[in-house]
Amino acid sequence: MRLAYDPSHYRDNTNLKDTIDTVARLGYEYVELSPRKDFIWFYEYPKVDKQLIKDLKRYCSDAGVKISSVLPVQQWSSPKEEERQAAVRNWKRCIEITSELEVDLMNSEFAGDISRPVESEAAFVKSMEELMPIFEREGIKLNLQSHPNDFIELNTEAIRMIRALDKDWIKLVYSVPHAFFYDDGIGDVEKHLDEAGDLLAHVLIADTLNHKAAFGLRYIVNPPDAKVTIHQHLNPGEGEINFDALYRKLREMKFDGIVTNSVFAYPDRPEWSNELTLKSIKEGLNL
């Protein structure tokens, strides 16, 4: 099992070198390169050149940190063809960067438009038809997660789409703080992991509250019919995820993929947050 850290707490006020050094100091051998403005940002063309790639490899080597995966988020499922094409261009560059970093794994989200699921699915499949040969040529694997407000929110539908792609190098990311979206407010983490089975390759650890609770009044939004989506990435124990069940199930499955600290809520207290979350992960998974 690879235990990784998503350094989103540090992306706004820490340069890339200091971020990698911090990941090592916090107790991790692996870093998940999530979006940041000075590297690969959400929906944008990567701001990376050969020198930055060379520097990043040196930062990692010096700190004793390995890159577990590169995480771009692009609108490759957009029903707007011009936007989809731009996302594919961006993805091609992201794949090239990942290959030059000598990393063999990327992970991402389905994206798209939840109000236009059929058109978004068609756009996603079209993008994958263009990109899958490039992934295969570069020897890079891909892990995908459904995400709140993506055209795929349900765990079952994410699994079905991955199976439809029918590539043994495309697997599932299970994001624990999305659990109440994965089954419309139930949050049955054990059932989700059972559904994933052999596709489960990556687990993101964070807690969240059930947005469906309190008769739908857990979060009061005005006007009441406003189309909004909300969840959190809290320290384990601060929300309503059943972490005892989650960890027990992962142990029973003998899960041997990537587990990432994916708490984002405390940029003002990141070390305190990491201490709590890392302790939860290590104790829960007997690491």
Side-chain angles (χ1 to χ4, degrees), residues 136-188:
E136 291 178 332
R137 184 186 71 215
E138 298 296 336
I140 294 174
K141 301 183 293 292
L142 177 66
N143 294 336
L144 293 171
Q145 63 164 301
S146 49
H147 194 283
N149 206 49
D150 282 5
F151 85 92
I152 294 178
E153 287 189 328
L154 301 181
N155 189 60
T156 301
E157 293 301 322
I159 291 164
R160 287 173 178 164
M161 178 55 69
I162 291 170
R163 293 202 186 279
L165 295 172
D166 201 19
K167 298 290 186 181
D168 60 8
W169 50 269
I170 303 179
K171 302 288 187 181
L172 179 76
V173 177
Y174 181 75
S175 183
V176 177
H178 303 164
F180 295 111
F181 283 90
Y182 284 168
D183 55 17
D184 199 27
I186 299 170
D188 190 341

Side-chain angles (χ1 to χ4, degrees), residues 113-126:
D113 186 341
I114 194 172
S115 69
R116 300 169 68 183
V118 175
E119 295 160 285
S120 295
E121 179 183 289
F124 173 72
V125 172
K126 185 176 182 180

Side-chain angles (χ1 to χ4, degrees), residues 32-51:
E32 181 173 304
L33 282 180
S34 55
R36 49 184 298 139
K37 276 286 190 180
D38 60 356
F39 191 69
I40 299 172
W41 190 236
F42 293 96
Y43 312 124
E44 295 181 1
Y45 192 80
K47 307 305 190 290
V48 182
D49 62 7
K50 288 183 174 59
Q51 186 59 52

Side-chain angles (χ1 to χ4, degrees), residues 72-83:
V73 178
Q74 299 287 342
Q75 263 296 5
W76 54 351
S77 303
S78 174
K80 301 175 183 177
E81 178 60 14
E82 185 175 356
E83 188 172 50

Side-chain angles (χ1 to χ4, degrees), residues 168-217:
D168 60 8
W169 50 269
I170 303 179
K171 302 288 187 181
L172 179 76
V173 177
Y174 181 75
S175 183
V176 177
H178 303 164
F180 295 111
F181 283 90
Y182 284 168
D183 55 17
D184 199 27
I186 299 170
D188 190 341
V189 293
E190 291 181 280
K191 180 182 178 183
H192 299 163
L193 297 181
D194 276 333
E195 289 175 337
D198 63 322
L199 288 181
L200 182 65
H202 196 155
V203 178
L204 307 183
I205 299 293
D207 209 342
T208 191
L209 295 169
N210 184 357
H211 62 289
K212 292 281 189 177
F215 312 102
L217 297 176

Side-chain angles (χ1 to χ4, degrees), residues 96-133:
E96 184 177 41
I97 292 165
T98 302
S99 179
E100 291 178 10
L101 285 170
E102 300 178 86
V103 176
D104 67 353
L105 178 65
M106 303 179 77
N107 59 300
S108 191
E109 303 166 5
F110 284 100
D113 186 341
I114 194 172
S115 69
R116 300 169 68 183
V118 175
E119 295 160 285
S120 295
E121 179 183 289
F124 173 72
V125 172
K126 185 176 182 180
S127 295
M128 289 302 294
E129 286 175 343
E130 296 179 45
L131 292 170
M132 284 191 294

